[in-house]
Amino acid sequence: MEATKELVSPIPCDDGHLVTVLSIDGGGIRGIIPGIILGFLESELQKLDGDHVRLADYFDVIAGTSTGGLVTAMLTAPNENNRPLYAAKDIKNFYLEHTPKIFPQNNVMVLNIYIYRCWNLFSSMVKFTRTLFGPQYNGKYLHRLIREKLGETKLHQTLTNVVIPAFDIKRLQPTIFSSFQLKKRPDLNASLSDICISTSAAPTYLPAHSFETKTHHGVSKFDLIDGPCDSLNVEPMQYDKFLVISLGTGSQKQEMKYSALEAAQWGILSWVTTANGGTPLIDAFSQASADMVDFHISSLVRALNSEHNYLRIQDDTLIGDMSSVDMATEKNLNDLVKVGESLLKKPVSKVNLKTGVYEPVKSYETNEEALKGFAERLSKQKQFRKSQMSANANP
């Protein structure tokens, strides 16, 4: 299977009814990258349908894990006017304003490269020591912020369907907070704030979260941490009826990743954090999950001749602090903004699973151009559904 195979499937003029899905990866502060992409997509939709429209008006499902779960809540939680709490263009400023307080950095001014390198080593050692005795951050600012923004809003109140996964460490199984499961699992109708705190609780970074929900069946208790979602619960032959946009949060450049040669010497502590501040175990399970979902969906849409229905946008060229999930310095956050902006100009790419590198598809269409095309199709879907509702109301 060639990772760079040209997109030869013609895009139909009339899609008919499609299930529209937006998926957002986890990655801490790197959530600012899909935030930039989402801001662009929403602006294109507004050019077509007016400044009042929001992403939640177009997607049947918005899914996200960890920082992607937080973005999902921001896009779908209702404000006092029953419209989305945040416009997509506001996500960037949210990260710029709040992540330095969620992931506070040590206040040391670096005067030159030598001091910077020494401090960087010392900072990594401090993080290493913290990891031995508990999470690096207490989560208090994040928890207060989420509760302040989301209030008492519950899962059933989102403006479109959402899917936000977490992992229950008491049951040792995933817990998927899904709008689709509420009829069968009313105990999942938790507050969005508890769901967001849970999906953001990345091991070694932020503390696990415990909460309860109450139904007429009794009390359900959850003991949760961040957990990836591995698949969509649909029948295989239904995938050609999906229109999917999947956004990554960036990953390390190939030569910056870990090697078996060095890992062969690691003990348990090295798997938790390396001397350069990396977290191999966390990086491995989070990146592997994202790549396997991408591979799974890519394979299905290709088999069904529906590649034009799936767009994955990811950057795998991050180096240094940019690949971190918590290096929330002003410089690094601004660098990540630039990554998101430059990603729009890069060609649509697919991961080559043999090399792990994203390679441009032969159409050489940019992500920006692809998003414009998807915006037009999403707008037509919205119009199509509106006409169907009118027809059903006036038979």
Side-chain angles (χ1 to χ4, degrees):
M1 182 173 62
E2 295 179 3
T4 56
K5 182 179 177 182
E6 185 174 358
L7 298 180
V8 294
S9 305
I11 298 177
C13 296
D14 183 7
D15 283 324
H17 178 73
L18 294 174
V19 178
T20 54
V21 180
L22 172 63
S23 176
I24 310 159
D25 288 4
I29 61 170
R30 301 198 313 266
I32 203 168
I33 296 174
I36 299 295
I37 307 299
L38 293 171
F40 176 81
L41 176 60
E42 191 169 85
S43 70
E44 289 301 310
L45 291 167
Q46 290 171 343
K47 290 177 184 177
L48 295 168
D49 297 331
D51 291 343
H52 64 287
V53 301
R54 297 289 183 265
L55 292 174
D57 301 327
Y58 295 87
F59 287 99
D60 296 307
V61 189
I62 300 181
T65 185
S66 191
T67 199
L70 180 57
V71 173
T72 296
M74 293 167 66
L75 296 175
T76 61
N79 63 16
E80 63 276 8
N81 298 314
N82 206 38
R83 294 296 292 151
L85 191 62
Y86 281 84
K89 65 181 177 62
D90 297 328
I91 294 173
K92 178 184 78 172
N93 289 335
F94 177 90
Y95 276 81
L96 291 175
E97 178 183 354
H98 295 294
T99 55
K101 301 169 187 174
I102 296 171
F103 303 111
Q105 306 299 302
N106 295 295
N107 295 320
V108 173
M109 297 297 292
V110 291
L111 302 177
N112 54 50
I113 294 177
Y114 176 75
I115 295 177
Y116 172 76
R117 287 175 177 170
C118 290
W119 171 251
N120 207 32
L121 178 60
F122 175 71
S123 180
S124 296
M125 291 173 64
V126 170
K127 284 186 176 182
F128 181 87
T129 303
R130 285 178 184 165
T131 304
L132 293 177
F133 300 103
Q136 295 180 35
Y137 307 98
N138 61 31
K140 290 181 180 179
Y141 181 87
L142 174 64
H143 298 180
R144 185 169 65 250
L145 175 67
I146 289 176
R147 295 200 185 284
E148 175 188 315
K149 299 295 183 182
L150 297 177
E152 299 301 317
T153 303
K154 291 198 170 185
L155 180 59
H156 78 278
Q157 295 174 287
T158 55
L159 297 174
T160 190
N161 298 300
V162 302
V163 178
I164 302 176
F167 190 85
D168 194 311
I169 57 175
K170 191 165 188 175
R171 298 183 178 95
L172 289 180
Q173 64 183 26
T175 298
I176 312 297
F177 292 95
S178 167
S179 304
F180 302 104
Q181 294 294 316
L182 291 181
K183 286 186 177 180
K184 292 183 179 179
R185 291 282 309 276
D187 59 305
L188 294 178
N189 193 27
S191 67
L192 277 181
S193 59
D194 280 323
I195 295 172
C196 286
I197 291 170
S198 298
T199 196
S200 300
T204 77
Y205 288 100
L206 291 162
H209 184 56
S210 176
F211 65 90
E212 296 179 346
T213 60
K214 295 180 180 180
T215 70
H216 63 278
H217 295 296
V219 175
S220 297
K221 190 172 186 297
F222 299 90
D223 298 274
L224 302 174
I225 59 171
D226 174 18
C229 184
D230 289 331
S231 64
L232 295 173
N233 185 25
V234 295
E235 295 298 324
M237 294 307 293
Q238 293 177 323
Y239 273 89
D240 61 341
K241 297 299 182 183
F242 278 64
L243 187 69
V244 181
I245 298 177
S246 176
L247 303 181
T249 58
S251 65
Q252 284 182 315
K253 196 172 182 179
Q254 184 72 7
E255 52 265 34
M256 302 295 293
K257 296 177 182 177
Y258 315 105
S259 71
L261 185 62
E262 59 179 326
Q265 309 301 319
W266 290 347
I268 187 170
L269 296 180
S270 296
W271 277 101
V272 174
T273 181
T274 58
N276 65 2
T279 52
L281 195 60
I282 305 300
D283 295 343
F285 90 78
S286 60
Q287 195 61 48
S289 174
D291 283 347
M292 286 308 299
V293 171
D294 181 25
F295 174 67
H296 176 64
I297 299 177
S298 295
S299 300
L300 281 170
V301 298
R302 181 171 295 155
L304 294 170
N305 201 33
S306 302
E307 291 180 279
H308 56 275
N309 284 357
Y310 178 59
L311 176 63
R312 171 69 171 171
I313 300 181
Q314 172 71 313
D315 189 296
D316 64 345
T317 64
L318 302 185
I319 59 174
D321 291 344
M322 288 190 293
S323 64
S324 168
V325 301
D326 65 332
M327 187 59 72
T329 62
E330 182 179 356
K331 178 184 183 304
N332 196 44
L333 290 172
N334 287 326
D335 285 344
L336 289 171
V337 170
K338 293 175 184 176
V339 169
E341 292 171 345
S342 65
L343 188 53
L344 288 168
K345 306 296 183 183
K346 290 184 177 181
V348 174
S349 300
K350 293 183 180 180
V351 68
N352 182 327
L353 288 201
K354 288 184 179 180
T355 64
V357 176
Y358 275 80
E359 301 172 353
V361 299
K362 290 184 179 179
S363 66
Y364 295 109
E365 181 182 38
T366 66
N367 289 316
E368 190 174 70
E369 292 168 338
L371 285 167
K372 288 181 180 180
F374 269 68
E376 291 177 2
R377 297 176 71 188
L378 287 166
S379 177
K380 288 179 181 177
Q381 276 292 306
K382 190 169 182 287
Q383 295 169 20
F384 172 76
R385 296 176 190 195
K386 187 175 181 180
S387 65
Q388 290 290 99
M389 290 176 63
S390 298
N392 292 334
N394 301 289

PDB file of all heavy atoms in Angstrom, residues 87-101:
ATOM      1  N   ALA A  87     -15.824  30.617  19.919  1.00  0.00           N
ATOM      2  CA  ALA A  87     -15.594  30.554  18.481  1.00  0.00           C
ATOM      3  C   ALA A  87     -14.234  29.905  18.265  1.00  0.00           C
ATOM      4  O   ALA A  87     -13.346  29.991  19.120  1.00  0.00           O
ATOM      5  CB  ALA A  87     -15.617  31.954  17.872  1.00  0.00           C
ATOM      6  N   ALA A  88     -14.043  29.253  17.132  1.00  0.00           N
ATOM      7  CA  ALA A  88     -12.776  28.559  16.887  1.00  0.00           C
ATOM      8  C   ALA A  88     -11.586  29.513  16.907  1.00  0.00           C
ATOM      9  O   ALA A  88     -10.500  29.149  17.355  1.00  0.00           O
ATOM     10  CB  ALA A  88     -12.846  27.824  15.546  1.00  0.00           C
ATOM     11  N   LYS A  89     -11.787  30.738  16.477  1.00  0.00           N
ATOM     12  CA  LYS A  89     -10.681  31.710  16.453  1.00  0.00           C
ATOM     13  C   LYS A  89     -10.204  32.081  17.857  1.00  0.00           C
ATOM     14  O   LYS A  89      -9.102  32.604  18.024  1.00  0.00           O
ATOM     15  CB  LYS A  89     -11.107  32.974  15.699  1.00  0.00           C
ATOM     16  CG  LYS A  89     -12.233  33.761  16.350  1.00  0.00           C
ATOM     17  CD  LYS A  89     -12.597  34.974  15.530  1.00  0.00           C
ATOM     18  CE  LYS A  89     -13.775  35.735  16.116  1.00  0.00           C
ATOM     19  NZ  LYS A  89     -13.536  36.273  17.450  1.00  0.00           N
ATOM     20  N   ASP A  90     -11.024  31.798  18.873  1.00  0.00           N
ATOM     21  CA  ASP A  90     -10.663  32.131  20.247  1.00  0.00           C
ATOM     22  C   ASP A  90      -9.776  31.073  20.913  1.00  0.00           C
ATOM     23  O   ASP A  90      -9.214  31.305  21.985  1.00  0.00           O
ATOM     24  CB  ASP A  90     -11.924  32.307  21.105  1.00  0.00           C
ATOM     25  CG  ASP A  90     -12.791  33.464  20.622  1.00  0.00           C
ATOM     26  OD1 ASP A  90     -12.214  34.448  20.114  1.00  0.00           O
ATOM     27  OD2 ASP A  90     -14.024  33.367  20.754  1.00  0.00           O
ATOM     28  N   ILE A  91      -9.661  29.900  20.283  1.00  0.00           N
ATOM     29  CA  ILE A  91      -8.901  28.807  20.898  1.00  0.00           C
ATOM     30  C   ILE A  91      -7.438  29.190  21.061  1.00  0.00           C
ATOM     31  O   ILE A  91      -6.813  28.922  22.096  1.00  0.00           O
ATOM     32  CB  ILE A  91      -9.045  27.521  20.067  1.00  0.00           C
ATOM     33  CG1 ILE A  91     -10.496  27.041  20.103  1.00  0.00           C
ATOM     34  CG2 ILE A  91      -8.107  26.426  20.584  1.00  0.00           C
ATOM     35  CD1 ILE A  91     -10.778  25.871  19.182  1.00  0.00           C
ATOM     36  N   LYS A  92      -6.873  29.825  20.038  1.00  0.00           N
ATOM     37  CA  LYS A  92      -5.465  30.228  20.106  1.00  0.00           C
ATOM     38  C   LYS A  92      -5.206  31.102  21.320  1.00  0.00           C
ATOM     39  O   LYS A  92      -4.273  30.838  22.098  1.00  0.00           O
ATOM     40  CB  LYS A  92      -5.058  30.977  18.832  1.00  0.00           C
ATOM     41  CG  LYS A  92      -3.615  31.467  18.848  1.00  0.00           C
ATOM     42  CD  LYS A  92      -3.277  32.284  17.602  1.00  0.00           C
ATOM     43  CE  LYS A  92      -3.826  33.699  17.712  1.00  0.00           C
ATOM     44  NZ  LYS A  92      -3.333  34.550  16.600  1.00  0.00           N
ATOM     45  N   ASN A  93      -6.019  32.133  21.508  1.00  0.00           N
ATOM     46  CA  ASN A  93      -5.809  33.038  22.633  1.00  0.00           C
ATOM     47  C   ASN A  93      -6.042  32.350  23.974  1.00  0.00           C
ATOM     48  O   ASN A  93      -5.400  32.692  24.975  1.00  0.00           O
ATOM     49  CB  ASN A  93      -6.721  34.264  22.503  1.00  0.00           C
ATOM     50  CG  ASN A  93      -6.276  35.187  21.379  1.00  0.00           C
ATOM     51  OD1 ASN A  93      -5.102  35.203  21.008  1.00  0.00           O
ATOM     52  ND2 ASN A  93      -7.212  35.940  20.823  1.00  0.00           N
ATOM     53  N   PHE A  94      -6.946  31.371  24.003  1.00  0.00           N
ATOM     54  CA  PHE A  94      -7.168  30.596  25.224  1.00  0.00           C
ATOM     55  C   PHE A  94      -5.875  29.900  25.637  1.00  0.00           C
ATOM     56  O   PHE A  94      -5.475  29.949  26.807  1.00  0.00           O
ATOM     57  CB  PHE A  94      -8.278  29.571  24.998  1.00  0.00           C
ATOM     58  CG  PHE A  94      -8.538  28.669  26.178  1.00  0.00           C
ATOM     59  CD1 PHE A  94      -9.463  29.029  27.138  1.00  0.00           C
ATOM     60  CD2 PHE A  94      -7.844  27.473  26.335  1.00  0.00           C
ATOM     61  CE1 PHE A  94      -9.712  28.197  28.243  1.00  0.00           C
ATOM     62  CE2 PHE A  94      -8.073  26.636  27.426  1.00  0.00           C
ATOM     63  CZ  PHE A  94      -9.006  27.008  28.378  1.00  0.00           C
ATOM     64  N   TYR A  95      -5.204  29.268  24.695  1.00  0.00           N
ATOM     65  CA  TYR A  95      -3.952  28.573  25.001  1.00  0.00           C
ATOM     66  C   TYR A  95      -2.846  29.549  25.372  1.00  0.00           C
ATOM     67  O   TYR A  95      -2.069  29.294  26.304  1.00  0.00           O
ATOM     68  CB  TYR A  95      -3.519  27.710  23.808  1.00  0.00           C
ATOM     69  CG  TYR A  95      -4.187  26.354  23.787  1.00  0.00           C
ATOM     70  CD1 TYR A  95      -5.474  26.211  23.280  1.00  0.00           C
ATOM     71  CD2 TYR A  95      -3.556  25.226  24.284  1.00  0.00           C
ATOM     72  CE1 TYR A  95      -6.110  24.966  23.261  1.00  0.00           C
ATOM     73  CE2 TYR A  95      -4.174  23.986  24.283  1.00  0.00           C
ATOM     74  CZ  TYR A  95      -5.458  23.867  23.768  1.00  0.00           C
ATOM     75  OH  TYR A  95      -6.083  22.638  23.776  1.00  0.00           O
ATOM     76  N   LEU A  96      -2.759  30.659  24.661  1.00  0.00           N
ATOM     77  CA  LEU A  96      -1.721  31.648  24.956  1.00  0.00           C
ATOM     78  C   LEU A  96      -1.900  32.235  26.354  1.00  0.00           C
ATOM     79  O   LEU A  96      -0.922  32.481  27.070  1.00  0.00           O
ATOM     80  CB  LEU A  96      -1.746  32.767  23.914  1.00  0.00           C
ATOM     81  CG  LEU A  96      -1.302  32.390  22.495  1.00  0.00           C
ATOM     82  CD1 LEU A  96      -1.510  33.569  21.547  1.00  0.00           C
ATOM     83  CD2 LEU A  96       0.155  31.945  22.477  1.00  0.00           C
ATOM     84  N   GLU A  97      -3.147  32.447  26.754  1.00  0.00           N
ATOM     85  CA  GLU A  97      -3.421  33.075  28.048  1.00  0.00           C
ATOM     86  C   GLU A  97      -3.309  32.104  29.207  1.00  0.00           C
ATOM     87  O   GLU A  97      -2.718  32.431  30.253  1.00  0.00           O
ATOM     88  CB  GLU A  97      -4.823  33.686  28.035  1.00  0.00           C
ATOM     89  CG  GLU A  97      -5.216  34.319  29.365  1.00  0.00           C
ATOM     90  CD  GLU A  97      -6.635  34.868  29.382  1.00  0.00           C
ATOM     91  OE1 GLU A  97      -7.298  34.867  28.312  1.00  0.00           O
ATOM     92  OE2 GLU A  97      -7.084  35.289  30.476  1.00  0.00           O
ATOM     93  N   HIS A  98      -3.835  30.898  29.044  1.00  0.00           N
ATOM     94  CA  HIS A  98      -4.012  30.022  30.206  1.00  0.00           C
ATOM     95  C   HIS A  98      -2.968  28.921  30.375  1.00  0.00           C
ATOM     96  O   HIS A  98      -2.706  28.506  31.515  1.00  0.00           O
ATOM     97  CB  HIS A  98      -5.407  29.394  30.167  1.00  0.00           C
ATOM     98  CG  HIS A  98      -6.520  30.379  30.309  1.00  0.00           C
ATOM     99  ND1 HIS A  98      -6.729  31.103  31.469  1.00  0.00           N
ATOM    100  CD2 HIS A  98      -7.471  30.790  29.425  1.00  0.00           C
ATOM    101  CE1 HIS A  98      -7.776  31.893  31.308  1.00  0.00           C
ATOM    102  NE2 HIS A  98      -8.243  31.737  30.077  1.00  0.00           N
ATOM    103  N   THR A  99      -2.377  28.425  29.308  1.00  0.00           N
ATOM    104  CA  THR A  99      -1.446  27.297  29.504  1.00  0.00           C
ATOM    105  C   THR A  99      -0.202  27.657  30.325  1.00  0.00           C
ATOM    106  O   THR A  99       0.309  26.785  31.042  1.00  0.00           O
ATOM    107  CB  THR A  99      -1.023  26.664  28.156  1.00  0.00           C
ATOM    108  OG1 THR A  99      -0.481  27.674  27.295  1.00  0.00           O
ATOM    109  CG2 THR A  99      -2.211  25.992  27.493  1.00  0.00           C
ATOM    110  N   PRO A 100       0.300  28.915  30.296  1.00  0.00           N
ATOM    111  CA  PRO A 100       1.422  29.222  31.195  1.00  0.00           C
ATOM    112  C   PRO A 100       1.061  29.095  32.676  1.00  0.00           C
ATOM    113  O   PRO A 100       1.943  28.886  33.511  1.00  0.00           O
ATOM    114  CB  PRO A 100       1.766  30.672  30.832  1.00  0.00           C
ATOM    115  CG  PRO A 100       1.303  30.839  29.428  1.00  0.00           C
ATOM    116  CD  PRO A 100       0.033  30.036  29.352  1.00  0.00           C
ATOM    117  N   LYS A 101      -0.239  29.194  32.992  1.00  0.00           N
ATOM    118  CA  LYS A 101      -0.675  29.043  34.380  1.00  0.00           C
ATOM    119  C   LYS A 101      -1.044  27.594  34.697  1.00  0.00           C
ATOM    120  O   LYS A 101      -0.960  27.168  35.846  1.00  0.00           O
ATOM    121  CB  LYS A 101      -1.870  29.962  34.648  1.00  0.00           C
ATOM    122  CG  LYS A 101      -1.542  31.437  34.408  1.00  0.00           C
ATOM    123  CD  LYS A 101      -2.799  32.289  34.427  1.00  0.00           C
ATOM    124  CE  LYS A 101      -2.500  33.733  34.013  1.00  0.00           C
ATOM    125  NZ  LYS A 101      -3.721  34.537  33.880  1.00  0.00           N
TER     126      LYS A 101
END
